Amino acid sequence: MTNSVSARRRAGARAVTVTAMFSAVAFVLMFLEFSLPIIPSFVKMDVSELPALLASFGLGPVYGVVVCLVKNLLHLLITTTGGAGELCNFLLGACFVFPAGLLYQLHKSRKTAILGALVGAIIMALLSIPLNYYITYPIYSNFMPIDTIIGMYQAIRPSTNGLLECLVVFNAPFTLLKGLLDAVICFLIYKPLSPLIHGKR
């Protein structure tokens, strides 16, 4: 019994340590962002959800959400959006990694991991529309007129009409691509990192 309790404590301590490490890496990855020509330059691509996805698969979906939360709490210290960007990033990240990790925990196989990542990416892409429409862009409009923002989308696709269409045509597919990129990298590096996550040699 004592050995069992001790083992659980060690496993719990390792989970907390790995979660903290992944949170720090995710925070750093938020700065390694870049633009794509298919979307206005103020919308950046990054892979900061990758550590959260690794935690969700390796430790459980709650740990993945915690990584999303901690990286955004850290980013609040340097926010330029009054916290709106961080709130949206957290909600979208959680909507991505929680379903992915949950499906994987129900039946641990490569197939369910792929399915979970795909489901999570689709949920994140769909929810990016209302979250950006009602939270992020109203805040951004305090710094840049909404017509100017829409104009940046129209520079890429002149027929685009209105913010909602911008989000449906540009942001949702972009967010889906972002999730799929995180998933691909995760599947490439998960196995080599598995001993670190689980404490096995």
Side-chain angles (χ1 to χ4, degrees):
M1 180 67 72
T2 301
N3 290 337
S4 177
V5 172
S6 179
R8 284 200 299 270
R9 286 177 177 173
R10 286 196 301 269
R14 169 165 288 278
V16 171
T17 301
V18 172
T19 300
M21 179 188 68
F22 278 151
S23 299
V25 173
F27 174 65
V28 172
L29 288 176
M30 294 182 80
F31 296 96
L32 303 180
E33 56 185 16
F34 54 93
S35 302
L36 294 178
I38 60 173
I39 199 163
S41 60
F42 65 86
V43 182
K44 305 290 187 180
M45 172 70 77
D46 67 65
V47 292
S48 62
E49 270 74 48
L50 172 60
L53 188 60
L54 288 166
S56 194
F57 283 143
L59 302 172
V62 173
Y63 289 97
V65 173
V66 170
V67 172
C68 291
L69 176 62
V70 173
K71 71 160 184 169
N72 280 289
L73 288 176
L74 292 173
H75 203 266
L76 275 176
L77 299 174
I78 53 171
T79 184
T80 58
T81 65
E86 287 76 17
L87 175 61
C88 189
N89 186 281
F90 164 66
L91 292 174
L92 289 177
C95 289
F96 174 39
V97 304
F98 188 83
L102 183 62
L103 285 174
Y104 179 68
Q105 292 296 317
L106 292 175
H107 180 67
K108 293 185 178 182
S109 70
R110 184 174 181 83
K111 182 177 180 180
T112 53
I114 293 173
L115 176 62
L118 181 59
V119 169
I122 291 173
I123 292 174
M124 179 172 67
L126 292 175
L127 288 181
S128 72
I129 299 171
L131 287 175
N132 280 314
Y133 190 81
Y134 291 109
I135 298 177
T136 308
Y137 281 71
I139 298 295
Y140 286 168
S141 66
N142 292 321
F143 307 98
M144 182 186 299
I146 198 69
D147 289 341
T148 302
I149 295 174
I150 294 173
M152 297 176 73
Y153 286 96
Q154 291 173 332
I156 301 172
R157 182 175 179 266
S159 62
T160 303
N161 182 28
L163 178 59
L164 184 59
E165 186 173 336
C166 294
L167 298 177
V168 171
V169 173
F170 290 95
N171 288 59
F174 176 85
T175 304
L176 177 62
L177 175 63
K178 180 179 177 181
L180 294 177
L181 177 61
D182 285 322
V184 169
I185 299 174
C186 176
F187 293 133
L188 290 175
I189 68 175
Y190 182 82
K191 190 171 182 179
L193 289 179
S194 184
L196 173 65
I197 297 172
H198 299 289
K200 300 176 181 177
R201 302 192 180 196

